Each structure stands twice: as structure tokens, then as C-alpha cells.
Amino acid sequence: MNVTLITGASGGIGEAFARRLAAEKHNLLLVARSEPKLRTICGELTQQFGIQAQYVAVDLTKPGADQLLFDETEKRNLTVDGLINNAGIGSGGDLLELDLASELAMMQLNMNALVALTYRFLPGMRARKHGTIINVASMACFQPIPYMAVYAASKMFVRSFTEAMMVENQPFQIRVMLLCPGATETGFFDAANLTGEKRSAYSGGDRTETPEQVVESAMRGLRAGKRITVSGFQNRVTAFLGHFIPNSFIMPILAGWLRPKAKDQGGVATRSI
Ligand SMILES: NC(=O)c1ccc[n+]([C@@H]2O[C@H](COP(=O)([O-])OP(=O)(O)OC[C@H]3O[C@@H](n4cnc5c(N)ncnc54)[C@H](OP(=O)(O)O)[C@@H]3O)[C@@H](O)[C@H]2O)c1
């Protein structure tokens, strides 16, 4: 049975992808850590849309998680012809105020897991000369961001890796697309401990999209054959202007917006990630 594998599907953008693809009659393999949420979503989607939705509850930062997932698909006789590498976490603040283990785990999830899953499922796609990969980056992939240094670097990695994959896999008729959401109403900011004033500094206040809007942009981008889809008009304008403005000019401005205040380690500017 053909399936689309979605990581980070227990909430936010990943869950919105699952609901959208289920409505379009795709069978799904959903991945995240929270088993009860995955079980509920799979039950709902199977019942509502008459598709097959299965899940694997696994922590993608753990060594061997990619192999475990691949083995599960073999055992269940699933052919992964769509891969949405969406699972990711964020963090913000002065590097030395952040927990080193958490930063390294974020790198493991945002970069290593994405590469490892691509590595595992590409051979089958190449052999069948058919497949689609969507890698979820962020507006943070377009320039270094002071006070979000590791997260932005991880998303720049995703962008660089994905653009290279597009070219490497063109001869095999595999579609590879980079998706760049800006601030989106999900559990992302809570998971990153960016709450209160910090949240509005990093999310750009009310300039947020819903996960459904992000997925709508992604599906439109995919259908239009886009290599990079930036979700949201303002984000597209920002990304476009970024081509003409040097990082040396942008970074001090971002630093001014996001630099933690001595009082509460918070910020109050508006900027969408
Ligand atoms: N929200 C935004 O403003 C925003 C902006 C730009 C880019 N993005 C990107 O969009 C992607 C999705 O984020 P989101 O906004 O939907 O955030 P979210 O609501 O926090 O969802 C994150 C998903 O990743 C899963 N996850 C987290 N750690 C995991 C781990 N160790 N192993 C397996 N799964 C894990 C979570 O499920 P469990 O907790 O159940 O594991 C959840 O399903 C991320 O790559 C993020 O960087 C988000």
C-alpha cells in the first residue's frame, strides 16, 4: 500500500498536512512521540475519509529511529511515495542562556533526522522513479538570526540540503520542495519556551498564519511545480527583499529586536520567524 509519511504529525503543521492529504484520499503513516494523539488522529481520519491512516510513535532524536521507521514500513508492507519531513523544534535567546543538551537535541531533530529519513526512503523512490519529498524549513532559513542562532542555522542547513536534493533527484522524477512557513499558530512557541513577551518578539505579534493556511500554500506550491514555497504574502515579500539586502545590514536590526532584556530576558519587537 502506498503511503505518505509525515513526521511531527501529532499537532500543528504536520497534523494539518495529515488532515488535508486524508481529505485528498492519501493513505498515511504518521510519526511523532505522542502515541495517544497519533492514535486519535489516525482513528478520526480513517473513519472520516475512508483512507488507511497508521502511526509509529517514536522519538526521532534517538539513535536508530530512522532505521526503526524504515523497518516498520517493510514489516507493514508500506510503500512510502511521499515524505514530509516536518518534525522540528525551536529555541530563542542568548546562546549561553540556553540549555546545551536541548540545542544539540534540536539539531538532531531538525537536521539529522531529516537527512536520515531522506536517506532511508530515497532508494525506493528512485527505483520506482516516483516520489515527493517536502522538507519544512522556516523564514529563518534565509539569514542568520542572532538570539535564535542554532535554530536559524538548522533551517539554513535544511534549505541547503533540500536545494541540493532537488537537483540530485531530478533524473529520477522525484519532486523535492522546500516549505518555508513564517510564524504559525501551533504548539511551536510553547515547545520552544517562547511565551509572553518573548513569543510576540519572535512571532511578529498578530502576523501569524494558521497551519491550514501553511498547508494550503504548500499544496498550491507543489501543484505549481515550485521548488521553494514561502507561505503568506508578507513572508514572500520579506524573502524577496532579502535577496537584495545584505545580512550585515539585517542582522543588527534583528539583534535589536530579539536581544533579551536584562530584566526578564524577553523582547518586545515584532518579527516573524
Ligand atoms: N509554528 C511556527 O511558527 C513555525 C514557523 C516556521 C517553521 N516552523 C516549522 O514547522 C515545523 C512544524 O512545527 P509546528 O509549528 O507544527 O510545531 P508543533 O505544533 O510544536 O509540532 C511539532 C511536531 O513535531 C513533533 N516532534 C517534536 N519533537 C519530536 C521528536 N523528538 N521526535 C518526533 N517528533 C517530534 C511533535 O510531536 P510530539 O511532541 O508528539 O513528538 C509535533 O507533532 C517545524 O519544523 C518548525 O520548525 C514552524
Side-chain angles (χ1 to χ4, degrees):
M1 183 177 69
N2 287 6
V3 293
T4 298
L5 190 163
I6 307 173
T7 68
S10 64
I13 295 169
E15 181 182 348
F17 262 119
R19 292 190 183 280
R20 173 65 182 258
L21 292 178
E24 295 187 5
K25 300 293 179 196
H26 291 269
N27 296 315
L28 301 172
L29 181 62
L30 307 185
V31 177
R33 292 166 302 180
S34 314
E35 182 159 14
K37 287 187 193 167
L38 291 173
R39 196 185 314 121
T40 306
I41 294 169
C42 283
E44 280 177 22
L45 296 183
T46 302
Q47 209 183 15
Q48 197 178 344
F49 298 107
I51 54 128
Q52 291 238 18
Q54 307 184 21
Y55 67 86
V56 179
V58 63
D59 184 339
L60 290 170
T61 64
K62 297 283 184 247
D66 53 295
Q67 183 69 55
L68 181 148
L69 255 180
F70 180 78
D71 292 346
E72 255 329 291
T73 59
E74 295 279 285
K75 215 183 330 171
R76 300 185 194 186
N77 215 3
L78 302 177
T79 301
V80 175
D81 63 358
L83 173 63
I84 303 182
N85 279 309
N86 162 75
I89 48 174
S91 75
D94 183 303
L95 179 68
L96 297 186
E97 300 290 333
L98 299 169
D99 176 59
L100 178 59
S102 304
E103 294 297 292
L104 297 179
M106 177 172 69
M107 292 168 68
Q108 187 72 29
L109 180 65
N110 293 5
M111 300 187 291
N112 297 19
L114 179 144
V115 172
L117 291 179
T118 305
Y119 190 93
R120 295 289 174 210
F121 292 105
L122 255 181
M125 291 184 183
R126 283 189 178 187
R128 294 185 295 276
K129 287 211 180 297
H130 171 70
T132 301
I133 299 176
I134 299 176
N135 288 337
V136 181
S138 162
M139 287 300 288
C141 79
F142 295 113
Q143 72 287 301
I145 302 185
Y147 305 106
M148 207 180 206
V150 180
Y151 176 75
S154 77
K155 294 300 185 180
M156 279 183 118
F157 174 93
V158 172
R159 175 182 163 203
S160 171
F161 173 72
T162 306
E163 291 201 56
M165 285 298 103
M166 287 167 195
V167 178
E168 281 187 31
N169 291 290
Q170 230 163 15
F172 302 96
Q173 280 93 56
I174 297 168
R175 284 285 324 274
V176 182
M177 189 180 82
L178 183 76
L179 173 63
C180 304
T184 310
E185 280 304 326
T186 67
F188 176 85
F189 293 99
D190 287 341
N193 254 334
L194 295 170
T195 52
E197 282 195 341
K198 274 199 221 174
R199 183 191 171 111
S200 40
Y202 281 92
S203 72
D206 54 6
R207 291 208 320 263
T208 54
E209 288 199 294
T210 64
E212 290 74 22
Q213 286 174 312
V214 172
V215 169
E216 173 59 30
S217 298
M219 300 309 287
R220 255 190 281 125
L222 208 58
R223 288 191 184 115
K226 287 200 171 164
R227 297 159 73 245
I228 301 180
T229 294
V230 175
S231 184
F233 178 72
Q234 287 196 17
N235 293 325
R236 281 194 290 280
V237 171
T238 305
F240 178 75
L241 292 177
H243 293 305
F244 308 103
I245 306 171
N247 285 340
S248 56
F249 180 81
I250 296 174
M251 283 203 293
I253 298 172
L254 292 176
W257 284 345
L258 299 176
R259 182 177 290 115
K261 285 184 171 169
K263 172 172 69 68
D264 59 7
Q265 298 290 293
V268 285
T270 57
R271 142 111 193 111
S272 77
I273 299 307

